[in-house]
Amino acid sequence: MSPQSANQNETPLPKNILDPVLMVYRSTGIGIFGVLMRWGGMPLEKIALFLNSSQVTGKNQFRQSIQLTFADGALAPYRVVGRTSIAAWFFQYSVMGMAFQFFDRALSEAFGVRPMYYGKELMDDPSIVTSSANEDIGTKTRFAVKTAMAPFFAAYLETAVANRAEVERFFGPKKFAHMERQLNWNTARRFLGPAFLPGCTRNVIMCNTTFIFTPVTYRAFFPQEHKSSTSLFWFGLGSNMFVGNVVAITQQALWGRSLDYMAAGENGARNINYTQVIKDGLKQEGAKAFFTPPKWFARVLMNAPAQGLLPWFYNEVLPIGEGPVINFTKSVYGAISNGASSSNDIKPLVAAAPRPELATAPELATTPRLK
């Protein structure tokens, strides 16, 4: 390695450059991960959709769902995936990842507390690492408030990006366009889409599960001698299935029932009254309107492969590539810095050089004239 390139790699990166670079890297990685997992899990997603539809009835509904999913061949679930779906998956997952990182870091700076645990920090022994134990009650309170706020803001942004497209897929583009014309909503409400509240609440729950509950509980309570990439993989998957989705399915059911209520208006559309939606559901089916084992199982089929493995991918796989990304950024930053300093060194030399038009009279007198 040349001395110049060595100096470039040793150039320290300012925090205002390092943090955005890592944020973009991690968010892009999460987006690609989301696309691959959702595309690979399309058969499971189709099974879940059929399981929650009126197309399966009576006994053996799971078997019926499988038969409908593969009725047109083994690759049938993948034929419905287009470029729009791929783009929507990428931005949904990358926005979620970037939003949480941004709000966690910004709120940590504002509150004067540490960011959420990440990467190798999950493998620390909490009985030895005592930095948090030495914090006063005020610092711990600010950390708790920050920890509660970050996933809320991140989930709100994620829902703003994804909700309207989800509703359009629920109704179909033509029917949804007709409903929007009937409701005559303003631009802001049209952008956020119907049933935004339960959709956002569902995403708050899942964001908390992925970025807060899983890393905090794994780091604090998982047996230290059993901590590994494999155990984090299964712990994150279990947290998603048996904690996050158990709660989130109630909001998923409220989201779907709210859209059904919206479509039942006289002109094919009406504004959602969440209180009435909940009362109608409880009156018709009781608590089963919002939670049943089949509803939970369908939600797990659709969500767990991508969302459940995200904590493992985020904390174990993404850090592997951070070293090369940081080194490349250092090289670019060092080259730019060295180039800027070199140009500054040249300027005094240029300024000190005598200009012909400013030559003194004696110099002109001794200069031979050309004939």
Side-chain angles (χ1 to χ4, degrees), residues 340-362:
S341 61
S342 299
S343 63
N344 290 333
D345 293 339
I346 293 173
K347 286 180 181 179
L349 297 176
V350 174
R355 295 170 59 185
E357 60 271 21
L358 297 180
T360 60

Side-chain angles (χ1 to χ4, degrees), residues 237-301:
L237 187 61
S239 298
N240 176 274
M241 294 173 61
F242 301 109
V243 178
N245 271 310
V246 168
V247 183
I249 187 58
T250 61
Q251 299 306 301
Q252 181 68 30
L254 179 58
W255 183 82
R257 284 182 169 272
S258 298
L259 295 180
D260 289 336
Y261 178 91
M262 174 185 172
E266 294 182 0
N267 297 320
R270 60 177 171 177
N271 289 316
I272 298 172
N273 183 330
Y274 292 112
T275 302
Q276 192 61 46
V277 171
I278 295 172
K279 286 182 177 179
D280 290 346
L282 293 175
K283 182 179 179 180
Q284 295 168 6
E285 303 181 50
K288 292 182 179 180
F290 301 101
F291 183 89
T292 63
K295 289 181 187 293
W296 167 80
F297 185 65
R299 171 75 182 170
V300 166
L301 278 178

